[in-house]
Amino acid sequence: MSKNGMAGDCLAIEAHGLVKVYGETRALDGIDLAVQRGQVFGFLGPNGAGKTTTIRMLATYTRPDSGTARVLGHDLVSEADAIRARVAVTGQFASLDDDLTGYENLTILGRLHGLSRTAGKRRADDLLAAFDLTDAAARTVGGYSGGMRRRLDIAASLIVTPDLLFLDEPTTGLDPRSRGQVWELVRQIAAVGTTVLLTTQYLDEADQLAEQIAVIDHGRIVAEGTSAQLKSRVGSGTLHVRLLDGEQRPRAQRVLARALAGTVHLAADPLALSMLLANPADATDVGRLVGHAMTQLADARVAVAEVALGQPSLDEAFLALTGHTASPTTDHEDVKA
Amino acid sequence: MSSPATIARPAAAETYQIDVLLTAGQPRRRAGALAASATFGRRAMLKIKHDPKQLVDSAAIPILFTVLFTYLFGGAISGSPANYLKVLLPGTLSMSIAIVTMYGGGRLAKDVTTGAFDRFRSLSVWRGAFVLGGLLSDAARYLFASAIVVVLGLAMGYRPDGGAPGVLAAVALVVAFGLSLSCVWAAVALLIPDPAVVISIANVVLMPLSFASNVFVAPQTMPGWLQAVVTVNPISHVADAARDLMNNSGGAGGPVAWSLIATAAITLVFAPLALHLYSRQR
């Protein structure tokens, strides 16, 4: 099957004003999207922002209350079956049978994808080998680790190579090594020309994988662009400070928040703090601001090991764009001045 | 395909040799309706294989009903076991299968809430395959439950005058009726994907239907209003039909015809409804 579909149609997904209302909640409140073919498109937002609802809708599980979309050139509502034949979904919701083995899961899906019994068995064996799951093939999926499970989920989406792959939070809950494995898989899938739309709560994940990122919050896209474009929209830069003594971090946080009149992030590193600098009138202001902050820290007898001025992280970008952090975890506590 | 590394893993992300797999063209054709249904049936059977406890409910009800009701009501009804088993056993068979149908609904409701169901719904296969595949495995359960009733009956002294053909015909009829009830619970489960709720609803319907029937007691002893209920109750007709077939007391076969009509009518209403509920987008 051709990867290009209809000639001249270069968009994998084209959506206008998608709305989904559940009771009182507008889960999607007018989503516009344009995803190029062959692109890895990142959908970034906190829990409940509407990421999964968007994927469910574009993968034809959920009907839009209003708005229109074309997926791989097919109308979302009237040509749902044509879309189903060419997309695959992996994620929090589209998953596998826990009480069957990895091999059984793949062979059943192979048959449902129209493979012959022999071809389905061969494909299952190949996928299990390629995903390093041969040893676990005969075990029921319920006993798999999170990383193994996610790999099998992705393998299940590749029984027939899809033209468009939806990955709903592919690395949520995985340890760093398993995350790295999934990232590598996504890159390889994209390399053969499959369009990937992935949702994530992790800013570094979108930064790592996605060529184009849409930031979603409360059912609306609040920003869109490349990682660099989003960062540049946010401000001039970030002040990173590393202390000698972690005990002094709360004091340093108070001093910085007062000195620069802004919000101080506590990084995962117990010695580190960071702070977004407001857009200064001109570049020389940056030096003056940082100098002032350092003087204040010295006056407060906070021992500083390292100071750096850098581009804002995507996390800080999200905070600036939506007014709250993307991460639901306690990695970042904010103290307002 | 290259064999995966099983020993020392590099600290960096491993690379999988998936590019060859992805570019190797797979024949992309729609799975046939029958192949897809059979696959869903096989899926259900594999689930039983991995967790045979699933069959406990399909076994417990027939054992309990057959033994309990035979000795509880047997003496009060008509003297010797051999005599009253002729009346009671076909009734117990009908009632057991009817009751066992509710567990299929519960299982479907549980299935609907899993991620696997979501993945199946995103496939381009005939929408009826999932429901039909479920019915295939239900049929296997009902045959299993029927076998238990028949074997227990024979052990307790039941001698069917209809012989093996009569017993097999009765079992086929009862299983067919059970499958029509399966369609009802499938529709309920797809409407309300909560196993506890589906089982409760099935109980509320099946318990009165099972007891307000001619399974245990002849309707002539009942007050008029109840006789009216018993006479229209499909379980009464199925029980009568099973008696006719197993005991070769059939005559014109009225109860058999009525049972088949009831089975067809229930199926024609609820099977399309279940299909519609399966394929609707939420």
Side-chain angles (χ1 to χ4, degrees):
Chain A
M1 175 95 18
S2 143
K3 285 261 174 281
N4 302 316
M6 274 163 260
D9 186 6
C10 62
L11 288 179
I13 300 171
E14 188 183 2
H16 299 288
L18 293 178
V19 171
K20 186 73 190 178
V21 181
Y22 292 111
E24 303 275 288
T25 319
R26 292 178 80 80
L28 298 186
D29 195 8
I31 297 278
D32 297 317
L33 269 185
V35 178
Q36 307 287 326
R37 281 184 197 246
Q39 198 172 48
V40 178
F41 190 96
F43 224 51
L44 175 65
N47 270 333
K51 303 187 299 292
T52 300
T53 308
T54 307
I55 283 205
R56 290 187 69 96
M57 191 175 282
L58 293 172
T60 77
Y61 292 99
T62 308
R63 194 185 282 268
D65 291 331
S66 73
T68 58
R70 298 189 78 78
V71 176
L72 299 168
H74 301 289
D75 182 78
L76 188 60
V77 178
S78 65
E79 300 174 289
D81 212 46
I83 296 174
R84 289 189 191 113
R86 295 176 62 194
V87 306
V89 190
T90 294
Q92 306 284 336
F93 57 93
S95 183
L96 298 164
D97 279 317
D98 279 354
D99 38 9
L100 299 183
T101 70
Y103 179 76
E104 287 164 351
N105 266 293
L106 294 187
T107 50
I108 284 172
L109 284 168
R111 290 292 283 159
L112 294 174
H113 275 288
L115 301 188
S116 71
R117 207 167 272 119
T118 333
K121 283 179 178 169
R122 198 182 324 121
R123 186 70 171 175
D125 282 333
D126 288 349
L127 282 167
L128 288 164
F131 282 76
D132 198 7
L133 291 166
T134 303
D135 294 342
R139 300 212 317 258
T140 49
V141 173
Y144 280 24
S145 70
M148 288 161 71
R149 209 201 145 90
R150 215 59 64 88
R151 295 211 299 276
L152 187 67
D153 270 346
I154 296 176
S157 293
L158 302 179
I159 286 174
V160 169
T161 310
D163 293 330
L164 170 61
L165 175 62
F166 293 104
L167 289 172
D168 189 35
E169 304 203 5
T171 66
T172 298
L174 294 189
D175 60 63
R177 210 199 68 191
S178 302
R179 279 182 88 188
Q181 291 176 340
V182 170
W183 286 358
E184 182 55 34
L185 284 172
V186 173
R187 292 192 185 102
Q188 289 194 46
I189 293 164
V192 300
T194 292
T195 309
V196 178
L197 189 148
L198 69 93
T199 71
T200 182
Q201 307 185 30
Y202 303 116
L203 305 135
D204 58 330
E205 186 160 282
D207 205 359
Q208 283 272 342
L209 297 175
E211 298 149 63
Q212 187 80 7
I213 298 168
V215 181
I216 182 170
D217 193 39
H218 299 297
R220 288 171 178 277
I221 291 178
V222 294
E224 197 186 326
T226 62
S227 172
Q229 283 169 346
L230 288 183
K231 286 174 181 173
S232 73
R233 275 188 51 180
V234 169
S236 56
T238 317
L239 175 65
H240 298 278
V241 179
R242 242 177 97 83
L243 308 174
L244 276 173
D245 180 0
E247 301 261 302
Q248 291 191 325
R249 192 158 78 153
R251 199 196 310 167
Q253 190 180 21
R254 279 195 302 276
V255 171
L256 284 175
R258 205 177 323 115
L260 297 177
T263 304
V264 179
H265 284 279
L266 297 178
D269 174 355
L271 293 174
L273 308 86
S274 70
M275 184 164 195
L276 202 63
L277 297 178
N279 263 326
D282 69 86
T284 54
D285 274 357
V286 175
R288 199 178 46 74
L289 285 171
V290 174
H292 173 64
M294 289 306 108
T295 312
Q296 295 286 309
L297 281 179
D299 289 350
R301 303 203 170 281
V302 175
V304 175
E306 214 178 291
V307 182
L309 197 58
Q311 280 274 300
S313 74
L314 214 42
D315 202 1
E316 290 153 341
F318 196 91
L319 177 64
L321 291 166
T322 67
H324 53 84
T325 51
S327 175
T329 60
T330 51
D331 286 0
H332 305 275
E333 295 165 35
D334 299 324
V335 173
K336 293 274 180 192
Chain B
M1 241 6 73
S2 75
S3 66
T6 46
I7 9 165
R9 292 162 180 284
E14 291 90 338
T15 51
Y16 301 95
Q17 258 79 69
I18 64 163
D19 46 344
V20 185
L21 275 177
L22 288 171
T23 44
Q26 287 293 318
R28 197 198 294 260
R29 58 192 173 84
R30 214 180 134 114
L34 275 180
S37 307
T39 304
F40 281 119
R42 190 165 76 87
R43 167 176 175 264
M45 300 311 280
L46 283 170
K47 289 190 170 215
I48 295 175
K49 189 187 108 187
H50 287 296
D51 184 16
K53 289 196 297 293
Q54 282 191 45
L55 282 179
V56 168
D57 47 37
S58 307
I61 295 279
I63 295 173
L64 203 69
F65 282 16
T66 309
V67 175
L68 189 71
F69 293 138
T70 300
Y71 292 111
L72 195 64
F73 298 129
I77 299 171
S78 45
S80 74
N83 279 337
Y84 59 69
L85 274 169
K86 279 196 183 349
V87 179
L88 206 53
L89 196 88
T92 316
L93 176 69
S94 314
M95 181 179 171
S96 298
I97 302 306
I99 298 284
V100 164
T101 60
M102 72 169 130
Y103 298 111
R107 259 184 295 273
L108 182 69
K110 187 163 164 261
D111 216 1
V112 167
T113 58
T114 64
F117 177 75
D118 257 336
R119 194 190 279 276
F120 295 143
R121 286 209 319 142
S122 79
L123 296 174
S124 173
V125 296
W126 176 53
R127 327 279 3 243
F130 182 82
V131 175
L132 188 58
L135 290 184
L136 288 177
S137 78
D138 281 346
R141 286 172 210 277
Y142 303 159
L143 285 173
F144 169 75
S146 303
I148 290 176
V149 176
V150 172
V151 168
L152 275 177
L154 292 174
M156 290 190 298
Y158 174 57
R159 295 294 171 262
D161 296 333
V167 171
L168 289 178
V171 167
L173 183 97
V174 168
V175 169
F177 178 68
L179 290 175
S180 74
L181 291 179
S182 285
C183 294
V184 179
W185 313 136
V188 174
L190 288 163
L191 194 65
I192 312 166
D194 180 333
V197 174
V198 173
I199 297 228
S200 302
I201 291 174
N203 253 313
V204 165
V205 176
L206 287 174
M207 284 304 170
L209 270 186
S210 298
F211 287 99
S213 71
N214 63 13
V215 169
F216 301 116
V217 186
Q220 291 77 7
T221 62
M222 301 174 189
W225 63 270
L226 190 54
Q227 276 192 40
V229 173
V230 170
T231 324
V232 297
N233 184 348
I235 292 185
S236 299
H237 294 295
V238 174
D240 269 342
R243 286 182 190 117
D244 284 354
L245 292 166
M246 291 172 92
N247 301 326
N248 200 18
S249 54
V256 174
W258 274 116
S259 301
L260 292 175
I261 290 169
T263 299
I266 295 171
T267 308
L268 283 176
V269 172
F270 287 93
L273 182 62
L275 280 195
H276 169 74
L277 290 169
Y278 173 83
S279 46
R280 84 189 151 144
Q281 293 180 333
R282 269 155 261 235

